[in-house]
Amino acid sequence: MGHYCRICGRERPNEQFSGKGHKIHVCKRCKARPKSERQAIEDKDDIFAFLEQSHISEKNVVHLERMAKSDNPQVASLAAIVLDVARVKPYKTRRLKFLAQKHPELLGKLRNTGLILA
Ligand SMILES: [Zn+2]
């Protein structure tokens, strides 16, 4: 039975995980990547996950604010967009309709960046 790596998102054989890697769900190959690169992948995962949640919490907002200052420009711009969403419509219910009516430019950004499917 394999093991799931949360960085590459792949099921990999057990021998691809060291003791510590097993615990943190990161395979050997991904562990060898630079930390900044791994961090960027994890940050992007978090940003996408926030949009899937029924509600973006205050705690999530703090996390997004931190990511909006990331050294990685892609992480920083995605976090800034989701931060705007969290401020105007933290609840997922009818979010897209609300954004289409009140904040079409923000909805456009979500689509252009692939944060939501067009
Ligand atoms: Zn991996």
Side-chain angles (χ1 to χ4, degrees):
M1 213 28 233
H3 197 72
Y4 175 78
C5 170
R6 69 192 165 99
I7 300 294
C8 58
R10 261 175 287 183
E11 189 90 32
R12 305 186 64 81
N14 261 322
E15 55 270 24
Q16 281 301 311
F17 293 84
S18 65
K20 199 180 151 212
H22 235 125
K23 213 166 135 191
I24 59 170
H25 306 284
V26 178
C27 73
K28 280 181 188 168
R29 211 168 62 181
C30 291
K31 266 187 92 180
R33 294 193 202 182
K35 187 153 191 286
S36 59
E37 199 184 312
R38 269 162 52 197
Q39 189 62 52
I41 293 169
E42 290 193 31
D43 286 348
K44 276 185 262 177
D45 273 359
D46 284 343
I47 294 168
F48 277 85
F50 287 160
L51 279 178
E52 292 299 313
Q53 293 174 183
S54 59
H55 173 229
I56 302 172
S57 71
E58 275 302 308
K59 209 176 137 194
N60 297 154
V61 167
V62 171
H63 189 178
L64 283 167
E65 282 170 345
R66 205 168 56 225
M67 291 193 285
K69 292 176 196 144
S70 168
D71 292 333
N72 183 302
Q74 203 195 359
V75 168
S77 72
L78 292 175
I81 294 166
V82 177
L83 200 50
D84 282 345
V85 172
R87 284 181 177 140
V88 299
K89 194 83 173 77
Y91 289 90
K92 197 181 177 195
T93 312
R94 285 188 291 277
R95 181 185 280 150
L96 296 185
K97 199 176 164 198
F98 174 87
L99 291 177
Q101 287 171 351
K102 311 268 185 188
H103 303 275
E105 73 303 328
L106 192 50
L107 186 62
K109 283 188 206 167
L110 284 173
R111 288 196 169 127
N112 293 338
T113 51
L115 280 163
I116 56 166
L117 299 174

mmCIF file of all heavy atoms in Angstrom, residues 56-102:
data_model
loop_
_atom_site.group_PDB
_atom_site.id
_atom_site.type_symbol
_atom_site.label_atom_id
_atom_site.label_comp_id
_atom_site.label_asym_id
_atom_site.label_seq_id
_atom_site.Cartn_x
_atom_site.Cartn_y
_atom_site.Cartn_z
ATOM 1 N N ILE A 56 -14.694 31.471 5.237
ATOM 2 C CA ILE A 56 -13.280 31.809 5.437
ATOM 3 C C ILE A 56 -13.204 32.535 6.784
ATOM 4 O O ILE A 56 -13.735 33.631 6.942
ATOM 5 C CB ILE A 56 -12.737 32.688 4.286
ATOM 6 C CG1 ILE A 56 -12.914 31.976 2.934
ATOM 7 C CG2 ILE A 56 -11.260 33.018 4.527
ATOM 8 C CD1 ILE A 56 -12.588 32.827 1.709
ATOM 9 N N SER A 57 -12.581 31.885 7.761
ATOM 10 C CA SER A 57 -12.571 32.398 9.135
ATOM 11 C C SER A 57 -11.563 33.519 9.349
ATOM 12 O O SER A 57 -10.706 33.769 8.502
ATOM 13 C CB SER A 57 -12.247 31.252 10.088
ATOM 14 O OG SER A 57 -10.882 30.903 9.928
ATOM 15 N N GLU A 58 -11.663 34.154 10.501
ATOM 16 C CA GLU A 58 -10.704 35.192 10.901
ATOM 17 C C GLU A 58 -9.283 34.648 10.901
ATOM 18 O O GLU A 58 -8.339 35.324 10.498
ATOM 19 C CB GLU A 58 -11.036 35.687 12.322
ATOM 20 C CG GLU A 58 -12.085 36.786 12.344
ATOM 21 C CD GLU A 58 -11.660 37.997 11.502
ATOM 22 O OE1 GLU A 58 -10.545 38.504 11.712
ATOM 23 O OE2 GLU A 58 -12.443 38.411 10.629
ATOM 24 N N LYS A 59 -9.167 33.419 11.397
ATOM 25 C CA LYS A 59 -7.864 32.774 11.450
ATOM 26 C C LYS A 59 -7.305 32.578 10.035
ATOM 27 O O LYS A 59 -6.127 32.788 9.785
ATOM 28 C CB LYS A 59 -8.031 31.410 12.143
ATOM 29 C CG LYS A 59 -6.814 30.942 12.883
ATOM 30 C CD LYS A 59 -7.128 29.638 13.604
ATOM 31 C CE LYS A 59 -5.962 28.688 13.433
ATOM 32 N NZ LYS A 59 -6.298 27.312 13.795
ATOM 33 N N ASN A 60 -8.193 32.189 9.126
ATOM 34 C CA ASN A 60 -7.788 32.037 7.729
ATOM 35 C C ASN A 60 -7.333 33.378 7.160
ATOM 36 O O ASN A 60 -6.373 33.452 6.396
ATOM 37 C CB ASN A 60 -8.952 31.527 6.867
ATOM 38 C CG ASN A 60 -9.446 30.147 7.263
ATOM 39 O OD1 ASN A 60 -10.606 29.829 7.009
ATOM 40 N ND2 ASN A 60 -8.611 29.338 7.876
ATOM 41 N N VAL A 61 -8.050 34.440 7.528
ATOM 42 C CA VAL A 61 -7.721 35.777 7.033
ATOM 43 C C VAL A 61 -6.309 36.188 7.482
ATOM 44 O O VAL A 61 -5.521 36.709 6.687
ATOM 45 C CB VAL A 61 -8.777 36.822 7.482
ATOM 46 C CG1 VAL A 61 -8.289 38.253 7.257
ATOM 47 C CG2 VAL A 61 -10.084 36.597 6.726
ATOM 48 N N VAL A 62 -5.988 35.897 8.748
ATOM 49 C CA VAL A 62 -4.650 36.195 9.263
ATOM 50 C C VAL A 62 -3.591 35.444 8.441
ATOM 51 O O VAL A 62 -2.569 35.997 8.043
ATOM 52 C CB VAL A 62 -4.552 35.818 10.767
ATOM 53 C CG1 VAL A 62 -3.113 35.922 11.269
ATOM 54 C CG2 VAL A 62 -5.465 36.720 11.587
ATOM 55 N N HIS A 63 -3.887 34.187 8.180
ATOM 56 C CA HIS A 63 -2.994 33.360 7.365
ATOM 57 C C HIS A 63 -2.859 33.951 5.949
ATOM 58 O O HIS A 63 -1.764 34.039 5.399
ATOM 59 C CB HIS A 63 -3.559 31.933 7.330
ATOM 60 C CG HIS A 63 -2.652 30.917 6.714
ATOM 61 N ND1 HIS A 63 -2.996 29.591 6.643
ATOM 62 C CD2 HIS A 63 -1.442 31.016 6.134
ATOM 63 C CE1 HIS A 63 -2.018 28.927 6.033
ATOM 64 N NE2 HIS A 63 -1.071 29.772 5.714
ATOM 65 N N LEU A 64 -3.969 34.375 5.378
ATOM 66 C CA LEU A 64 -3.949 34.963 4.030
ATOM 67 C C LEU A 64 -3.141 36.261 4.011
ATOM 68 O O LEU A 64 -2.400 36.529 3.064
ATOM 69 C CB LEU A 64 -5.382 35.243 3.549
ATOM 70 C CG LEU A 64 -6.177 34.035 3.063
ATOM 71 C CD1 LEU A 64 -7.650 34.379 2.933
ATOM 72 C CD2 LEU A 64 -5.633 33.542 1.719
ATOM 73 N N GLU A 65 -3.285 37.057 5.059
ATOM 74 C CA GLU A 65 -2.534 38.320 5.134
ATOM 75 C C GLU A 65 -1.035 38.046 5.126
ATOM 76 O O GLU A 65 -0.263 38.759 4.500
ATOM 77 C CB GLU A 65 -2.918 39.103 6.395
ATOM 78 C CG GLU A 65 -4.249 39.831 6.229
ATOM 79 C CD GLU A 65 -4.795 40.411 7.523
ATOM 80 O OE1 GLU A 65 -4.312 40.028 8.608
ATOM 81 O OE2 GLU A 65 -5.715 41.238 7.431
ATOM 82 N N ARG A 66 -0.660 36.978 5.837
ATOM 83 C CA ARG A 66 0.749 36.616 5.882
ATOM 84 C C ARG A 66 1.219 36.139 4.499
ATOM 85 O O ARG A 66 2.282 36.519 4.024
ATOM 86 C CB ARG A 66 0.947 35.521 6.933
ATOM 87 C CG ARG A 66 2.362 35.493 7.496
ATOM 88 C CD ARG A 66 2.453 34.605 8.723
ATOM 89 N NE ARG A 66 2.003 33.263 8.453
ATOM 90 C CZ ARG A 66 1.198 32.559 9.240
ATOM 91 N NH1 ARG A 66 0.745 33.075 10.364
ATOM 92 N NH2 ARG A 66 0.840 31.350 8.927
ATOM 93 N N MET A 67 0.374 35.330 3.843
ATOM 94 C CA MET A 67 0.757 34.811 2.523
ATOM 95 C C MET A 67 0.772 35.910 1.458
ATOM 96 O O MET A 67 1.522 35.828 0.497
ATOM 97 C CB MET A 67 -0.187 33.677 2.107
ATOM 98 C CG MET A 67 -0.002 32.427 2.960
ATOM 99 S SD MET A 67 -0.808 30.979 2.266
ATOM 100 C CE MET A 67 -2.521 31.316 2.647
ATOM 101 N N ALA A 68 -0.052 36.945 1.645
ATOM 102 C CA ALA A 68 -0.092 38.057 0.685
ATOM 103 C C ALA A 68 1.239 38.813 0.675
ATOM 104 O O ALA A 68 1.514 39.575 -0.244
ATOM 105 C CB ALA A 68 -1.253 39.001 1.012
ATOM 106 N N LYS A 69 2.043 38.592 1.709
ATOM 107 C CA LYS A 69 3.368 39.229 1.771
ATOM 108 C C LYS A 69 4.465 38.241 1.407
ATOM 109 O O LYS A 69 5.646 38.498 1.646
ATOM 110 C CB LYS A 69 3.616 39.762 3.187
ATOM 111 C CG LYS A 69 2.708 40.928 3.542
ATOM 112 C CD LYS A 69 2.933 41.340 4.996
ATOM 113 C CE LYS A 69 1.787 42.205 5.488
ATOM 114 N NZ LYS A 69 1.485 41.930 6.908
ATOM 115 N N SER A 70 4.078 37.109 0.834
ATOM 116 C CA SER A 70 5.050 36.074 0.483
ATOM 117 C C SER A 70 6.088 36.575 -0.520
ATOM 118 O O SER A 70 5.804 37.459 -1.337
ATOM 119 C CB SER A 70 4.300 34.880 -0.111
ATOM 120 O OG SER A 70 5.207 33.972 -0.705
ATOM 121 N N ASP A 71 7.287 36.000 -0.445
ATOM 122 C CA ASP A 71 8.339 36.313 -1.417
ATOM 123 C C ASP A 71 8.007 35.725 -2.782
ATOM 124 O O ASP A 71 8.540 36.130 -3.795
ATOM 125 C CB ASP A 71 9.683 35.717 -0.961
ATOM 126 C CG ASP A 71 10.201 36.406 0.278
ATOM 127 O OD1 ASP A 71 9.867 37.591 0.475
ATOM 128 O OD2 ASP A 71 10.938 35.765 1.059
ATOM 129 N N ASN A 72 7.131 34.738 -2.761
ATOM 130 C CA ASN A 72 6.710 34.111 -4.018
ATOM 131 C C ASN A 72 5.581 34.958 -4.615
ATOM 132 O O ASN A 72 4.504 35.060 -4.044
ATOM 133 C CB ASN A 72 6.232 32.684 -3.729
ATOM 134 C CG ASN A 72 5.836 31.944 -4.990
ATOM 135 O OD1 ASN A 72 4.959 32.385 -5.726
ATOM 136 N ND2 ASN A 72 6.489 30.846 -5.259
ATOM 137 N N PRO A 73 5.829 35.595 -5.775
ATOM 138 C CA PRO A 73 4.829 36.529 -6.331
ATOM 139 C C PRO A 73 3.490 35.874 -6.646
ATOM 140 O O PRO A 73 2.442 36.508 -6.499
ATOM 141 C CB PRO A 73 5.486 37.071 -7.600
ATOM 142 C CG PRO A 73 6.677 36.230 -7.862
ATOM 143 C CD PRO A 73 7.047 35.523 -6.601
ATOM 144 N N GLN A 74 3.523 34.601 -7.042
ATOM 145 C CA GLN A 74 2.268 33.931 -7.369
ATOM 146 C C GLN A 74 1.437 33.700 -6.111
ATOM 147 O O GLN A 74 0.229 33.966 -6.098
ATOM 148 C CB GLN A 74 2.557 32.597 -8.073
ATOM 149 C CG GLN A 74 1.382 32.135 -8.912
ATOM 150 C CD GLN A 74 1.504 30.676 -9.321
ATOM 151 O OE1 GLN A 74 2.477 29.992 -9.004
ATOM 152 N NE2 GLN A 74 0.506 30.193 -10.024
ATOM 153 N N VAL A 75 2.103 33.243 -5.053
ATOM 154 C CA VAL A 75 1.414 33.041 -3.776
ATOM 155 C C VAL A 75 0.855 34.367 -3.282
ATOM 156 O O VAL A 75 -0.304 34.470 -2.882
ATOM 157 C CB VAL A 75 2.372 32.432 -2.719
ATOM 158 C CG1 VAL A 75 1.756 32.488 -1.327
ATOM 159 C CG2 VAL A 75 2.723 30.995 -3.080
ATOM 160 N N ALA A 76 1.681 35.413 -3.364
ATOM 161 C CA ALA A 76 1.267 36.724 -2.868
ATOM 162 C C ALA A 76 0.036 37.241 -3.617
ATOM 163 O O ALA A 76 -0.916 37.730 -2.998
ATOM 164 C CB ALA A 76 2.413 37.723 -2.997
ATOM 165 N N SER A 77 0.005 37.085 -4.944
ATOM 166 C CA SER A 77 -1.129 37.619 -5.686
ATOM 167 C C SER A 77 -2.390 36.783 -5.470
ATOM 168 O O SER A 77 -3.481 37.339 -5.319
ATOM 169 C CB SER A 77 -0.798 37.800 -7.171
ATOM 170 O OG SER A 77 -0.721 36.559 -7.806
ATOM 171 N N LEU A 78 -2.246 35.449 -5.400
ATOM 172 C CA LEU A 78 -3.422 34.606 -5.141
ATOM 173 C C LEU A 78 -3.997 34.900 -3.749
ATOM 174 O O LEU A 78 -5.220 35.033 -3.587
ATOM 175 C CB LEU A 78 -3.060 33.111 -5.235
ATOM 176 C CG LEU A 78 -2.686 32.554 -6.611
ATOM 177 C CD1 LEU A 78 -2.254 31.098 -6.490
ATOM 178 C CD2 LEU A 78 -3.839 32.666 -7.596
ATOM 179 N N ALA A 79 -3.103 35.052 -2.770
ATOM 180 C CA ALA A 79 -3.562 35.319 -1.407
ATOM 181 C C ALA A 79 -4.280 36.664 -1.345
ATOM 182 O O ALA A 79 -5.309 36.796 -0.672
ATOM 183 C CB ALA A 79 -2.382 35.290 -0.438
ATOM 184 N N ALA A 80 -3.757 37.645 -2.067
ATOM 185 C CA ALA A 80 -4.381 38.979 -2.052
ATOM 186 C C ALA A 80 -5.799 38.926 -2.625
ATOM 187 O O ALA A 80 -6.711 39.578 -2.107
ATOM 188 C CB ALA A 80 -3.519 39.970 -2.834
ATOM 189 N N ILE A 81 -5.987 38.137 -3.666
ATOM 190 C CA ILE A 81 -7.313 38.021 -4.291
ATOM 191 C C ILE A 81 -8.299 37.356 -3.317
ATOM 192 O O ILE A 81 -9.409 37.845 -3.101
ATOM 193 C CB ILE A 81 -7.231 37.219 -5.617
ATOM 194 C CG1 ILE A 81 -6.407 37.993 -6.653
ATOM 195 C CG2 ILE A 81 -8.630 36.936 -6.164
ATOM 196 C CD1 ILE A 81 -5.973 37.153 -7.857
ATOM 197 N N VAL A 82 -7.859 36.246 -2.715
ATOM 198 C CA VAL A 82 -8.753 35.523 -1.798
ATOM 199 C C VAL A 82 -9.013 36.355 -0.535
ATOM 200 O O VAL A 82 -10.098 36.306 0.041
ATOM 201 C CB VAL A 82 -8.197 34.109 -1.478
ATOM 202 C CG1 VAL A 82 -9.075 33.389 -0.466
ATOM 203 C CG2 VAL A 82 -8.104 33.295 -2.751
ATOM 204 N N LEU A 83 -8.047 37.164 -0.176
ATOM 205 C CA LEU A 83 -8.224 38.070 0.959
ATOM 206 C C LEU A 83 -9.348 39.070 0.649
ATOM 207 O O LEU A 83 -10.208 39.344 1.495
ATOM 208 C CB LEU A 83 -6.903 38.803 1.210
ATOM 209 C CG LEU A 83 -6.638 39.452 2.553
ATOM 210 C CD1 LEU A 83 -6.908 38.490 3.700
ATOM 211 C CD2 LEU A 83 -5.199 39.952 2.614
ATOM 212 N N ASP A 84 -9.357 39.586 -0.570
ATOM 213 C CA ASP A 84 -10.434 40.496 -0.988
ATOM 214 C C ASP A 84 -11.780 39.782 -0.920
ATOM 215 O O ASP A 84 -12.769 40.347 -0.478
ATOM 216 C CB ASP A 84 -10.200 40.983 -2.423
ATOM 217 C CG ASP A 84 -9.144 42.086 -2.487
ATOM 218 O OD1 ASP A 84 -8.820 42.652 -1.432
ATOM 219 O OD2 ASP A 84 -8.660 42.371 -3.598
ATOM 220 N N VAL A 85 -11.807 38.530 -1.378
ATOM 221 C CA VAL A 85 -13.044 37.749 -1.350
ATOM 222 C C VAL A 85 -13.506 37.577 0.099
ATOM 223 O O VAL A 85 -14.674 37.791 0.422
ATOM 224 C CB VAL A 85 -12.863 36.361 -2.022
ATOM 225 C CG1 VAL A 85 -14.083 35.475 -1.816
ATOM 226 C CG2 VAL A 85 -12.563 36.522 -3.509
ATOM 227 N N ALA A 86 -12.558 37.221 0.980
ATOM 228 C CA ALA A 86 -12.891 36.982 2.388
ATOM 229 C C ALA A 86 -13.459 38.241 3.030
ATOM 230 O O ALA A 86 -14.323 38.166 3.909
ATOM 231 C CB ALA A 86 -11.658 36.516 3.148
ATOM 232 N N ARG A 87 -12.997 39.388 2.597
ATOM 233 C CA ARG A 87 -13.468 40.648 3.183
ATOM 234 C C ARG A 87 -14.869 41.014 2.726
ATOM 235 O O ARG A 87 -15.653 41.534 3.519
ATOM 236 C CB ARG A 87 -12.481 41.768 2.865
ATOM 237 C CG ARG A 87 -11.258 41.653 3.753
ATOM 238 C CD ARG A 87 -10.250 42.742 3.502
ATOM 239 N NE ARG A 87 -9.145 42.604 4.452
ATOM 240 C CZ ARG A 87 -7.860 42.779 4.170
ATOM 241 N NH1 ARG A 87 -7.505 43.124 2.946
ATOM 242 N NH2 ARG A 87 -6.941 42.628 5.086
ATOM 243 N N VAL A 88 -15.184 40.757 1.470
ATOM 244 C CA VAL A 88 -16.519 41.129 0.990
ATOM 245 C C VAL A 88 -17.545 40.011 1.148
ATOM 246 O O VAL A 88 -18.738 40.272 1.269
ATOM 247 C CB VAL A 88 -16.503 41.646 -0.478
ATOM 248 C CG1 VAL A 88 -15.636 42.890 -0.589
ATOM 249 C CG2 VAL A 88 -16.064 40.575 -1.461
ATOM 250 N N LYS A 89 -17.091 38.749 1.100
ATOM 251 C CA LYS A 89 -18.032 37.619 1.155
ATOM 252 C C LYS A 89 -17.358 36.400 1.769
ATOM 253 O O LYS A 89 -16.972 35.465 1.070
ATOM 254 C CB LYS A 89 -18.531 37.310 -0.273
ATOM 255 C CG LYS A 89 -19.749 36.412 -0.343
ATOM 256 C CD LYS A 89 -21.043 37.180 -0.162
ATOM 257 C CE LYS A 89 -22.264 36.328 -0.404
ATOM 258 N NZ LYS A 89 -22.588 35.419 0.722
ATOM 259 N N PRO A 90 -17.194 36.388 3.100
ATOM 260 C CA PRO A 90 -16.526 35.248 3.737
ATOM 261 C C PRO A 90 -17.291 33.930 3.600
ATOM 262 O O PRO A 90 -16.684 32.866 3.611
ATOM 263 C CB PRO A 90 -16.391 35.669 5.203
ATOM 264 C CG PRO A 90 -17.353 36.793 5.394
ATOM 265 C CD PRO A 90 -17.528 37.441 4.060
ATOM 266 N N TYR A 91 -18.606 34.006 3.450
ATOM 267 C CA TYR A 91 -19.399 32.776 3.321
ATOM 268 C C TYR A 91 -19.511 32.356 1.864
ATOM 269 O O TYR A 91 -19.697 33.191 0.988
ATOM 270 C CB TYR A 91 -20.789 32.962 3.938
ATOM 271 C CG TYR A 91 -20.703 33.034 5.445
ATOM 272 C CD1 TYR A 91 -20.534 34.260 6.087
ATOM 273 C CD2 TYR A 91 -20.725 31.867 6.208
ATOM 274 C CE1 TYR A 91 -20.410 34.328 7.469
ATOM 275 C CE2 TYR A 91 -20.599 31.923 7.581
ATOM 276 C CZ TYR A 91 -20.441 33.152 8.211
ATOM 277 O OH TYR A 91 -20.307 33.201 9.567
ATOM 278 N N LYS A 92 -19.414 31.065 1.656
ATOM 279 C CA LYS A 92 -19.404 30.548 0.289
ATOM 280 C C LYS A 92 -20.786 30.629 -0.381
ATOM 281 O O LYS A 92 -20.894 30.761 -1.596
ATOM 282 C CB LYS A 92 -18.911 29.087 0.309
ATOM 283 C CG LYS A 92 -18.483 28.587 -1.059
ATOM 284 C CD LYS A 92 -18.034 27.139 -0.985
ATOM 285 C CE LYS A 92 -17.684 26.638 -2.378
ATOM 286 N NZ LYS A 92 -17.597 25.168 -2.399
ATOM 287 N N THR A 93 -21.824 30.531 0.439
ATOM 288 C CA THR A 93 -23.178 30.533 -0.106
ATOM 289 C C THR A 93 -23.424 31.757 -0.998
ATOM 290 O O THR A 93 -23.222 32.893 -0.563
ATOM 291 C CB THR A 93 -24.197 30.547 1.055
ATOM 292 O OG1 THR A 93 -23.815 29.545 1.980
ATOM 293 C CG2 THR A 93 -25.605 30.267 0.563
ATOM 294 N N ARG A 94 -23.854 31.514 -2.191
ATOM 295 C CA ARG A 94 -24.140 32.558 -3.173
ATOM 296 C C ARG A 94 -22.997 33.533 -3.412
ATOM 297 O O ARG A 94 -23.202 34.658 -3.839
ATOM 298 C CB ARG A 94 -25.409 33.338 -2.781
ATOM 299 C CG ARG A 94 -26.679 32.536 -3.042
ATOM 300 C CD ARG A 94 -27.925 33.378 -2.850
ATOM 301 N NE ARG A 94 -28.146 33.727 -1.462
ATOM 302 C CZ ARG A 94 -28.749 32.934 -0.577
ATOM 303 N NH1 ARG A 94 -29.219 31.779 -0.982
ATOM 304 N NH2 ARG A 94 -28.923 33.299 0.655
ATOM 305 N N ARG A 95 -21.784 33.093 -3.132
ATOM 306 C CA ARG A 95 -20.629 33.986 -3.288
ATOM 307 C C ARG A 95 -20.451 34.436 -4.745
ATOM 308 O O ARG A 95 -20.259 35.615 -5.008
ATOM 309 C CB ARG A 95 -19.362 33.286 -2.796
ATOM 310 C CG ARG A 95 -18.117 34.172 -2.906
ATOM 311 C CD ARG A 95 -16.886 33.401 -2.515
ATOM 312 N NE ARG A 95 -16.720 33.318 -1.074
ATOM 313 C CZ ARG A 95 -16.125 32.292 -0.459
ATOM 314 N NH1 ARG A 95 -15.673 31.286 -1.152
ATOM 315 N NH2 ARG A 95 -15.995 32.294 0.844
ATOM 316 N N LEU A 96 -20.523 33.467 -5.668
ATOM 317 C CA LEU A 96 -20.256 33.808 -7.066
ATOM 318 C C LEU A 96 -21.292 34.779 -7.621
ATOM 319 O O LEU A 96 -20.956 35.709 -8.338
ATOM 320 C CB LEU A 96 -20.183 32.541 -7.932
ATOM 321 C CG LEU A 96 -19.024 31.585 -7.595
ATOM 322 C CD1 LEU A 96 -18.966 30.439 -8.589
ATOM 323 C CD2 LEU A 96 -17.685 32.316 -7.547
ATOM 324 N N LYS A 97 -22.528 34.585 -7.219
ATOM 325 C CA LYS A 97 -23.601 35.469 -7.680
ATOM 326 C C LYS A 97 -23.378 36.871 -7.108
ATOM 327 O O LYS A 97 -23.501 37.874 -7.808
ATOM 328 C CB LYS A 97 -24.953 34.900 -7.203
ATOM 329 C CG LYS A 97 -26.121 35.444 -7.990
ATOM 330 C CD LYS A 97 -27.415 34.789 -7.548
ATOM 331 C CE LYS A 97 -28.594 35.608 -8.054
ATOM 332 N NZ LYS A 97 -29.815 35.292 -7.342
ATOM 333 N N PHE A 98 -23.035 36.895 -5.840
ATOM 334 C CA PHE A 98 -22.758 38.164 -5.159
ATOM 335 C C PHE A 98 -21.598 38.897 -5.842
ATOM 336 O O PHE A 98 -21.682 40.091 -6.133
ATOM 337 C CB PHE A 98 -22.438 37.882 -3.685
ATOM 338 C CG PHE A 98 -21.994 39.092 -2.899
ATOM 339 C CD1 PHE A 98 -22.942 39.917 -2.288
ATOM 340 C CD2 PHE A 98 -20.646 39.402 -2.767
ATOM 341 C CE1 PHE A 98 -22.536 41.035 -1.560
ATOM 342 C CE2 PHE A 98 -20.238 40.526 -2.044
ATOM 343 C CZ PHE A 98 -21.184 41.343 -1.442
ATOM 344 N N LEU A 99 -20.538 38.166 -6.105
ATOM 345 C CA LEU A 99 -19.366 38.794 -6.733
ATOM 346 C C LEU A 99 -19.701 39.273 -8.147
ATOM 347 O O LEU A 99 -19.273 40.350 -8.555
ATOM 348 C CB LEU A 99 -18.185 37.813 -6.788
ATOM 349 C CG LEU A 99 -17.545 37.446 -5.443
ATOM 350 C CD1 LEU A 99 -16.445 36.420 -5.630
ATOM 351 C CD2 LEU A 99 -16.983 38.674 -4.725
ATOM 352 N N ALA A 100 -20.474 38.481 -8.870
ATOM 353 C CA ALA A 100 -20.850 38.855 -10.232
ATOM 354 C C ALA A 100 -21.613 40.175 -10.224
ATOM 355 O O ALA A 100 -21.433 41.024 -11.107
ATOM 356 C CB ALA A 100 -21.683 37.752 -10.870
ATOM 357 N N GLN A 101 -22.457 40.354 -9.211
ATOM 358 C CA GLN A 101 -23.278 41.565 -9.142
ATOM 359 C C GLN A 101 -22.529 42.759 -8.571
ATOM 360 O O GLN A 101 -22.651 43.874 -9.065
ATOM 361 C CB GLN A 101 -24.529 41.290 -8.305
ATOM 362 C CG GLN A 101 -25.534 40.422 -9.055
ATOM 363 C CD GLN A 101 -26.673 39.956 -8.165
ATOM 364 O OE1 GLN A 101 -26.648 40.129 -6.952
ATOM 365 N NE2 GLN A 101 -27.669 39.343 -8.772
ATOM 366 N N LYS A 102 -21.788 42.515 -7.478
ATOM 367 C CA LYS A 102 -21.174 43.630 -6.745
ATOM 368 C C LYS A 102 -19.693 43.848 -7.034
ATOM 369 O O LYS A 102 -19.191 44.955 -6.918
ATOM 370 C CB LYS A 102 -21.347 43.417 -5.229
ATOM 371 C CG LYS A 102 -22.750 43.067 -4.810
ATOM 372 C CD LYS A 102 -23.526 44.319 -4.458
ATOM 373 C CE LYS A 102 -24.892 43.946 -3.911
ATOM 374 N NZ LYS A 102 -25.757 45.112 -3.730
#
